[in-house]
Amino acid sequence: MKAEVLDEIKRKYGDRATDTPFERSLYSRDLAPVPALLVDPLFNTMPDLVVRPANVEEVAEILRTAWAGNIPVTPRAGASTVYFDSVPVKGGVVMDLNLLRGVVGLDEERMTVTVQAGTTWSELDDYLNRRGLTVKSYPSSAPVASIGGWFCMMGYGIGSLKYGSLLSQVRAAEVVLATGEVRVVTRDTDPPLSWFAASEGTLGIVTWLELEVRRLSPMKHFLIQFTNVPEMTRVLTELKDASVTPYNLHFADPACVRAMHDLGLTPGDVQDGCILEIDYEGTDRELAQAEDIIRTMAAGNKSINMLPNEVAEMEWKERFKALRLKRGGPAVLGGEVWLPADELAGYLADINKMSLRYGIDLISYGHVVTPEHATVMTMFYTDETKTLKYIFNLSLVKKIHDIGYRHHGCPYGVGLWNTPYIDRIFSRKRLAGLRERKKTLDPRGTMNPGKVYRSPLLMNPYIFGMGMDVMAGILRAAGRGGSG
Amino acid sequence: MSAEQGSRFTTLENEALICGRCGYCRSSCPVYRVIGWESASPRGKISMAKDIFAKGRKDGLSDEFVQRVAQCTLCGACSSICSTGIDTRTLWLELRKRIAQSGKGPKTYDDIRNTLLVNRNISTFSNDDRLEWAQDLDDPEVVEPRAGAEVGYFVGCVSSFFPQAAQISLAIAEIFGEAGVDFTTMGGEEWCCGFPLISSGFADDAREFTKHNVDKIKELGIHTLVASCASCYHVWKHESQAELAGYDLEVLHTTEYLARLVEEKGIELDELDEVVTYHDPCDLGRNSGVYDAPRKIITSIPGVRFVELAHNRSDSLCCGGGGNLQSVDPELAATIAQLRVEEIKESGATIVVSACQQCEQMLSTAIRSAGLPVRVMDISQLILEAMG
């Protein structure tokens, strides 16, 4: 039955469907270089078929066919996460959504744009910029992240501090459910739009979204070097709560500054301390006020070094290139933590202690994305060609998340690899509610299975936690984590 | 990584490990835009190169992979956007070199190599006929090799042997003549610059060509070399430095030299009532950093209204003709050219100017099949027309 169904899809979609091992192998990976030794015994990440639908009718037809054959379907567009969100764990069909591209309509009266889900954030913003408009917020991976993909993740990034989550900016979306049924969802429908935000492609496939846009406005950029983390976090708090809200607030800790300096990447050739980037957009009046706030804060503060404007502008231009740090690796491992902003100083202090304990450089940087929360990436260099050492190093990712948890944080995003932390990410009640949604919309569990709702047996929190702690203990006793 | 930033390339193995598979390269890659499969994306190819060369999966060097590596125009757009700063253009060349060493490269590449090793040019003609194009000049003798000339004009294979492209060398010779430039050529001693060999994975063979050309330039006592082909220019500027060590040679593209002539009033330009746009050749723009000179020339012509294409300068789209793609997959190359023609159409231009014979050939064909009333011209032809 399964083979017949796959054949049917393949026949129907011709050169837009493939079952060659050569092609399929590339759809069994995302950004995370997880050793086959770990993945292969546990999951079937090789799709049986990859298909590229070009419109909602085709998406619906493929889903209907797969549903009838009880075949898992994994949606994929930019595939730019590290959690295997867009990698199958039970084979089946991978639906490559990159042909769903382009703007469907622009409504300048409502100040909304309707855009196909496979369009990248950079493509949409280029389209809007040519018309004097822009998006309200976007991910720090805008050149590859798709509109639908970011909506199905958490949707916090550059501009979120000022304009809120992506969900708050979406008016409507078209979603194809696991059964192939097409629905247009809003805040008032049943199910509502909010069910699909951060659902990580487990409830259906989003084909277009109607998003709020804004007029393009001038910007001002500031880059400040601090001698110490506590002073940086104090200023960060002061600025995020000031009368003019920054558009973007980005920070880098001393290890990050050192790593960037070693690679010749630090703005203004800064060698030490930590860095805070503050970007404002708005009217000329707002920008003048913002400049006053920054100058007043900086006046007489000896732990502050204001970097020249052109350096700040250059750093803004590089805002999508956080991965440039990887050049120091060549491999990196790390964890991204959703953290209360007022815990940032404590978190970074504990990360520093962990760094000393395990003898590795832990590099942290991140964004303040709401008045209450920051996303922090903490990472370290490793070597993926030394498989055993690399696997042991994975235990340090758990240690990073443990520190985040101690500071009331949790992993940012779930996918497959963060399922061992679901009891940290969701309250029991919330998780029960999410599982109920899944059961309602996808009772057979064919839509992106194995993600978000529960951990696989060998990755249940107890076994996973114990295993990781033992490996971390060995690394600590040996005093050799990271790439050394 | 851009031409201005310089290359950080280490080794194929290390760079493949550095790649974060972020996929920024996908949206800028013309080949991925047309083919659409992950294996056609730069990140897909690097991911496979990592398995093969950094992780020792030698069986991964399949025919499908070799085909994908050949399906690349070497336009460098992936390099500009790479979040980890990989000089992907160098990476692709290294990859093609490894494939050539394995003996698994496309047959077309072997054909290119054989032609070059026999004829010293990319055509089937004898290299002694290099100056055949000059027969259309009033005085063909003017381009005969001559020691001690102020400027050496490196004509390039395409403008030497292909009639349509020869209009460019004729235009340049006429402009130089009108402007009183003391110039010469290498005649039959000009060999292919070596670019087709480098881009086919035979960089070691290409050395013989660059060395020969450098030796001949030295023999003629030339200290300013002007190339009208963007790829020849790239080779002289970036790939011949070892051979040129210790010799004082200023390498200029015709756009740079002609901009100088225009600025110094060496040539007078009459009014042209046209809407002109400019297509940045990848090897001249993104891969060599020359953007302003051609624009200076166009905007200095009275009456011309200059319009930019939607993607321009370092963000320019490839014409589809680079990296030997036309020889291995002409259909793909033509489809890529059509993407560019869409932008030309949207610009409303009546003339699209470029500064590369290959770009001009690709765009001419695509514009013709699209039925657009747009003329494709080399910058030298535009100047000649404006000179009246």
Side-chain angles (χ1 to χ4, degrees):
Chain A
M1 169 70 173
K2 185 182 169 188
E4 284 166 24
V5 172
L6 292 171
D7 271 351
E8 185 187 332
I9 299 174
K10 193 181 160 211
R11 205 169 42 248
K12 179 117 194 178
Y13 288 89
D15 63 1
R16 286 190 285 125
T18 184
D19 58 1
T20 66
F22 169 74
E23 194 62 55
R24 286 185 291 138
S25 69
L26 287 167
Y27 288 80
S28 66
R29 44 188 102 170
D30 63 5
L31 267 66
V34 188
L37 190 66
L38 274 186
V39 177
D40 293 352
L42 295 177
F43 309 107
N44 178 13
T45 57
M46 186 74 138
D48 297 296
L49 187 77
V50 184
V51 60
R52 298 191 295 132
N55 52 51
V56 63
E57 290 78 19
E58 292 185 350
V59 171
E61 183 183 58
I62 295 163
L63 281 172
R64 263 196 308 275
T65 312
W67 174 262
N70 213 19
I71 294 170
V73 176
T74 304
R76 177 183 175 109
S80 58
T81 79
V82 291
Y83 308 129
F84 271 29
D85 289 287
S86 53
V87 173
V89 295
K90 295 183 176 178
V93 173
V94 164
M95 210 188 290
D96 179 331
L97 300 166
N98 288 292
L99 286 177
L100 302 182
R101 278 177 71 182
V103 169
V104 178
L106 177 65
D107 187 335
E108 290 201 52
E109 267 183 33
R110 281 165 57 85
M111 285 296 277
T112 65
V113 66
T114 302
V115 59
Q116 295 205 76
T119 313
T120 69
W121 282 90
S122 289
E123 285 164 351
L124 174 62
D125 210 35
D126 285 349
Y127 169 90
L128 292 170
N129 288 176
R130 289 199 289 273
R131 290 153 180 85
L133 302 167
T134 185
V135 294
K136 288 188 167 179
S137 64
Y138 48 83
S140 55
S141 55
V144 65
S146 67
I147 305 293
W150 200 43
F151 177 70
C152 290
M153 297 303 291
M154 300 276 278
Y156 287 97
I158 296 168
S160 305
L161 178 59
K162 183 164 183 179
Y163 290 105
S165 70
L166 176 61
L167 173 62
S168 70
Q169 302 159 27
V170 176
R171 299 276 184 90
E174 182 179 70
V175 183
V176 189
L177 302 180
T179 54
E181 183 189 348
V182 182
R183 299 251 190 114
V184 173
V185 293
T186 67
R187 287 162 201 171
D188 304 319
T189 53
D190 179 19
L193 186 63
S194 59
W195 278 30
F196 298 93
S199 65
E200 305 192 19
T202 60
L203 297 182
I205 292 178
V206 177
T207 52
W208 59 250
L209 290 116
E210 185 191 8
L211 300 172
E212 292 171 5
V213 296
R214 64 182 175 88
R215 300 253 168 245
L216 259 178
S217 50
M219 293 193 77
K220 253 196 191 329
H221 310 285
F222 301 93
L223 201 59
I224 308 173
Q225 178 190 16
F226 292 86
T227 52
N228 60 78
V229 171
E231 183 58 11
M232 179 193 75
T233 53
R234 186 192 69 74
V235 169
L236 177 149
T237 304
E238 194 180 312
L239 293 177
K240 80 177 169 61
D241 297 332
S243 56
V244 180
T245 306
Y247 181 67
N248 183 44
L249 205 45
H250 174 77
F251 54 88
D253 81 342
C256 185
V257 170
R258 279 197 303 275
M260 285 173 68
H261 180 261
D262 290 347
L263 293 168
L265 296 170
T266 36
D269 200 29
V270 169
Q271 297 186 21
D272 50 23
C274 41
I275 287 178
L276 187 61
E277 176 189 343
I278 314 110
D279 308 291
Y280 291 96
E281 66 77 30
T283 61
D284 290 342
R285 192 162 156 263
E286 280 173 311
L287 294 183
Q289 281 178 322
E291 182 143 18
D292 274 351
I293 291 168
I294 297 283
R295 302 284 169 212
T296 307
M297 176 275 300
N301 189 333
K302 289 191 174 142
S303 62
I304 280 178
N305 171 28
M306 289 281 289
L307 294 163
N309 284 352
E310 60 272 22
V311 177
E313 274 163 31
M314 197 179 296
E315 195 58 9
W316 169 251
K317 283 183 187 153
E318 297 284 297
R319 66 193 178 283
F320 301 132
K321 295 200 171 173
L323 262 179
R324 58 195 164 164
L325 278 165
K326 196 169 181 292
R327 187 155 275 281
V332 291
L333 278 172
E336 189 166 22
V337 180
W338 174 256
L339 192 75
D342 57 8
E343 293 282 343
L344 183 59
Y347 170 84
L348 291 176
D350 282 353
I351 285 291
N352 190 42
K353 284 181 200 159
M354 178 184 160
S355 182
L356 297 171
R357 201 177 301 136
Y358 287 93
I360 53 169
D361 284 331
L362 287 167
I363 295 163
S364 296
Y365 61 86
H367 293 85
V368 178
V369 291
T370 79
E372 297 81 29
H373 283 93
T375 54
V376 190
M377 169 60 80
T378 297
M379 60 178 226
F380 55 95
Y381 292 128
T382 180
D383 185 348
E384 64 175 287
T385 61
K386 295 174 183 162
T387 308
L388 191 62
K389 180 77 182 292
Y390 187 79
I391 290 171
F392 267 80
N393 276 330
L394 286 168
S395 66
L396 300 182
V397 176
K398 176 179 180 284
K399 291 294 168 194
I400 290 168
H401 281 307
D402 287 348
I403 292 174
Y405 186 55
R406 281 207 296 281
H407 290 277
H408 311 291
C410 65
Y412 181 72
V414 191
L416 169 68
W417 299 119
N418 282 337
T419 52
Y421 306 107
I422 43 175
D423 55 349
R424 294 181 181 181
I425 298 169
F426 305 119
S427 67
R428 193 171 293 182
K429 191 176 163 198
R430 168 92 174 141
L431 187 57
L434 292 176
R435 285 174 176 163
E436 196 53 39
R437 288 179 191 176
K438 176 75 174 168
K439 212 164 131 188
T440 305
L441 296 182
D442 180 20
R444 291 187 191 166
T446 55
M447 195 74 240
N448 204 5
K451 319 290 166 63
V452 181
Y453 304 95
R454 43 178 53 87
S455 51
L457 183 64
L458 285 172
M459 285 171 64
N460 84 51
Y462 179 72
I463 298 173
F464 175 84
M466 197 170 63
M468 289 294 157
D469 289 346
V470 168
M471 289 201 293
I474 293 169
L475 276 183
R476 189 175 172 187
R480 289 174 63 84
S483 54
Chain B
M1 206 236 44
S2 66
E4 293 84 351
Q5 288 170 321
S7 178
R8 287 168 168 265
F9 190 82
T10 51
T11 63
L12 172 63
E13 288 78 2
N14 195 47
E15 299 295 325
L17 285 164
I18 286 170
C19 172
R21 289 209 291 251
C22 68
Y24 285 16
C25 48
R26 291 188 332 158
S27 42
S28 68
C29 174
V31 170
Y32 173 75
R33 276 184 68 182
V34 172
I35 294 179
W37 290 110
E38 192 70 33
S39 62
S41 71
R43 82 166 166 192
K45 296 176 201 180
I46 296 175
S47 189
M48 284 185 277
K50 179 166 88 171
D51 288 347
I52 298 165
F53 297 103
K55 294 190 165 180
R57 252 202 58 202
K58 296 293 177 198
D59 62 328
L61 202 54
S62 62
D63 291 347
E64 293 146 304
F65 177 64
V66 169
Q67 184 196 11
R68 288 300 193 223
V69 174
Q71 285 171 321
C72 168
T73 65
L74 299 177
C75 73
C78 49
S79 199
S80 295
I81 202 167
C82 179
S83 67
T84 52
I86 299 173
D87 173 1
T88 46
R89 191 176 179 281
T90 302
L91 187 146
W92 304 133
L93 291 176
E94 179 61 23
L95 202 43
R96 289 184 182 188
K97 197 171 164 184
R98 301 281 183 100
I99 290 170
Q101 284 164 354
S102 76
K104 293 185 174 177
K107 185 185 168 297
T108 324
Y109 286 1
D110 291 331
D111 294 343
I112 291 171
R113 178 176 183 245
N114 293 337
T115 301
L116 281 164
L117 293 183
V118 173
N119 294 343
R120 305 300 179 189
N121 68 68
I122 59 165
S123 79
T124 51
F125 298 109
S126 160
N127 211 44
D128 294 337
D129 297 335
R130 274 263 172 195
L131 293 180
E132 193 62 30
W133 60 271
Q135 294 307 310
D136 284 353
L137 290 172
D138 291 341
D139 177 13
E141 292 294 311
V142 76
V143 296
E144 286 295 330
R146 180 167 51 86
E150 191 188 314
V151 171
Y153 171 38
F154 192 83
V155 186
C157 297
V158 181
S159 280
S160 296
F161 294 105
F162 297 91
Q164 191 187 344
Q167 301 309 309
I168 296 164
S169 37
L170 287 167
I172 287 167
E174 281 193 52
I175 297 167
F176 282 4
E178 286 286 321
V181 176
D182 173 25
F183 79 104
T184 189
T185 72
M186 294 158 71
E189 287 300 338
E190 177 183 315
W191 287 7
C192 169
C193 66
F195 183 76
L197 287 168
I198 295 169
S199 56
S200 302
F202 303 112
D204 293 339
D205 291 324
R207 284 274 154 251
E208 189 194 347
F209 285 69
T210 48
K211 187 175 179 312
H212 167 88
N213 286 329
V214 167
D215 286 347
K216 294 299 161 192
I217 282 293
K218 286 178 183 173
E219 277 174 32
L220 289 171
I222 301 292
H223 291 282
T224 299
L225 182 125
V226 176
S228 54
C229 165
S231 298
C232 296
Y233 169 76
H234 191 271
V235 170
W236 275 101
K237 191 87 179 173
H238 304 281
E239 315 279 350
S240 306
Q241 291 312 304
E243 286 80 4
L244 282 168
Y247 186 73
D248 179 24
L249 181 71
E250 184 184 30
V251 177
L252 296 169
H253 185 262
T254 39
T255 51
E256 296 173 298
Y257 192 79
L258 293 172
R260 210 181 265 181
L261 282 183
V262 169
E263 201 169 298
E264 291 166 358
K265 306 281 182 206
I267 43 182
E268 292 291 323
L269 301 172
D270 294 342
E271 194 167 313
L272 273 187
D273 181 20
E274 300 278 2
V275 182
V276 177
T277 191
Y278 178 69
H279 164 81
D280 289 277
C282 301
D283 276 337
L284 185 63
R286 192 162 36 233
N287 298 331
S288 294
V290 178
Y291 303 112
D292 293 332
R295 288 171 171 80
K296 251 186 213 166
I297 294 170
I298 297 167
T299 53
S300 68
I301 301 173
V304 159
R305 193 160 69 83
F306 177 66
V307 289
E308 287 283 10
L309 294 172
H311 290 87
N312 57 70
R313 302 178 77 95
S314 63
D315 195 28
S316 179
L317 295 186
C318 179
C319 70
N324 290 346
L325 180 63
Q326 213 187 1
S327 62
V328 291
D329 194 340
E331 201 179 322
L332 174 61
T335 313
I336 292 170
Q338 282 162 15
L339 298 177
R340 193 55 161 161
V341 167
E342 281 304 310
E343 292 199 344
I344 292 168
K345 189 177 167 185
E346 282 168 22
S347 74
T350 53
I351 295 176
V352 55
V353 171
S354 196
C356 163
Q357 287 84 335
Q358 182 68 357
C359 294
E360 286 146 14
Q361 182 255 317
M362 292 300 297
L363 295 177
S364 294
T365 309
I367 282 175
R368 225 176 9 253
S369 54
L372 282 188
V374 176
R375 284 195 292 158
V376 180
M377 298 176 89
D378 185 79
I379 192 89
S380 55
Q381 292 171 295
L382 182 77
I383 289 182
L384 194 63
E385 187 162 314
M387 285 168 73

